Amino acid sequence: THAERPRAVRTNLHRRSLDPLTAVRNLGILAHVDAGKTTVTERILYLTGATHKRGEVHDGTTVTDFDSQERDRGITIFAAAVSCVWDGHRINLIDTPGHVDFSDEVTRSLRVLDGAVAVFDAVAGVEPQSETVWRQADRHGVPRIAFVNKLDRAGADLDSAVASIRERLGTVPLVTQLPIGREADFTGVVDLVRMRALVWGAEIDSRTEGPVPEALSDEASRRRRILEETVAELHPAALEEFCDRSSVSDTTLAAALRELTLSGEGVVVLCGSAYRNRGIEPLLEAVVAYLPSPLDVPPVRGTSGDEVEERAADPEAPFAALVFKVTSTATGRLTCLRVYSGTLRKGDTVLDTGVRRAERVGRILRVQADRHAETDLAVAGDIVAVVGLKSARAGTTLCAPSAPLLLEPPTAAEPVVSVA
Ligand code: GDP
């Protein structure tokens, strides 16, 4: 019932205005099998109110795991997109297969997303498969933040997980949280950017924000200094500002963290326990604060005849979109696509660039966890599913017949390396 759902959900229900592009996040969740990708996705959908059910992985009722083959194999191979709303932002979650056997699908989903959360297990740290997906994301220039999950497990250790991120992924971790309590007693985090504590209660949805606990005050200050120093080393402009002042403001620090995330020079690290629903709201806040909107990423490139053309994420430009997944459902053939430029309207005729065939767009759907919401149009930056297209396949470019464009083929995937 309503009363049992978290407050954030009720707030979000009143913010259904058309999202400007800056409020869109096309997000992927990348993880080694078993690190907790399904659970993290599930909690995000629950918190954002996209689903009323709280699915649990072990009883097979989760809403993202609905493909039967996937359920049988216990791994996520169904790459689709689910849309939800958080704090006035539309977050399109693009499913990325966690298994390297589905490398082509990984590549296609990495192409259509703008930013990602990489999930790690707090006991295992970086595993071989996480390395593979991380490198693929590097090649596609996908800005990332890291979420060290399962902090409630026996043997969980944020510091050693962070060390493995530094050593195995060759990136600079920017740790923005200090856990409160260890293993089964992990109850919250100190946010080192705002220097506030967030503690979750026994009730799964209850949380309280307050000052940093006395006992953790020195440790939090020490870690905040480490964070500031790391940022200053990577970011000379920020360094100058830091030197000018006796203390660094939260907004300066957050802005520098965003720039480092977008340039790929560092990775913001957060932690939590998805299973216990701890750490998911700060994760969503970080997605909104640090990861790019469709306007922050470079224009897409394609060819028109012999000409190379760039298309910015402009709703007024000619329409161009990339199909990244086609599925048969009870609703009919669903073509999932990302609009890169222009506007797509119900009833439009679009050109399938590959086979040079014009097709009519039937219904346009925004895929949500437990239902499909129909919409009249989709603009640049949007991810939607279209009903009624006959020929489009994964990888197909769709464009305005008056402005043909073939989007660049994805970067060749690295040879798949088998890992134990
Ligand atoms: P995926 O394979 O990456 O999608 O991982 P799942 O979300 O299916 O999680 C794998 C297993 O880890 C499941 O049994 C989950 O219940 C469990 N799990 C996920 N998150 C956590 C967590 O935060 N703490 C603990 N202890 N277990 C978790």
Side-chain angles (χ1 to χ4, degrees), residues 278-324:
R278 292 175 180 173
I280 304 300
E281 307 93 334
L283 177 62
L284 286 166
E285 281 161 18
V287 163
V288 165
Y290 305 129
L291 291 179
S293 83
L295 289 179
D296 299 316
V297 297
V300 74
R301 284 157 64 95
T303 50
S304 172
D306 295 334
E307 304 278 299
V308 174
E309 213 183 300
E310 284 195 346
R311 293 271 179 90
D314 175 4
E316 306 298 327
F319 168 73
L322 183 79
V323 174
F324 63 96

Side-chain angles (χ1 to χ4, degrees), residues 304-305 350-359 391 396-397 404-406:
S304 172
V350 294
L351 184 70
D352 179 331
T353 319
V355 297
R356 295 184 165 278
R357 182 189 298 154
E359 287 215 73
S391 67
T396 294
T397 304
L405 186 77
L406 185 62

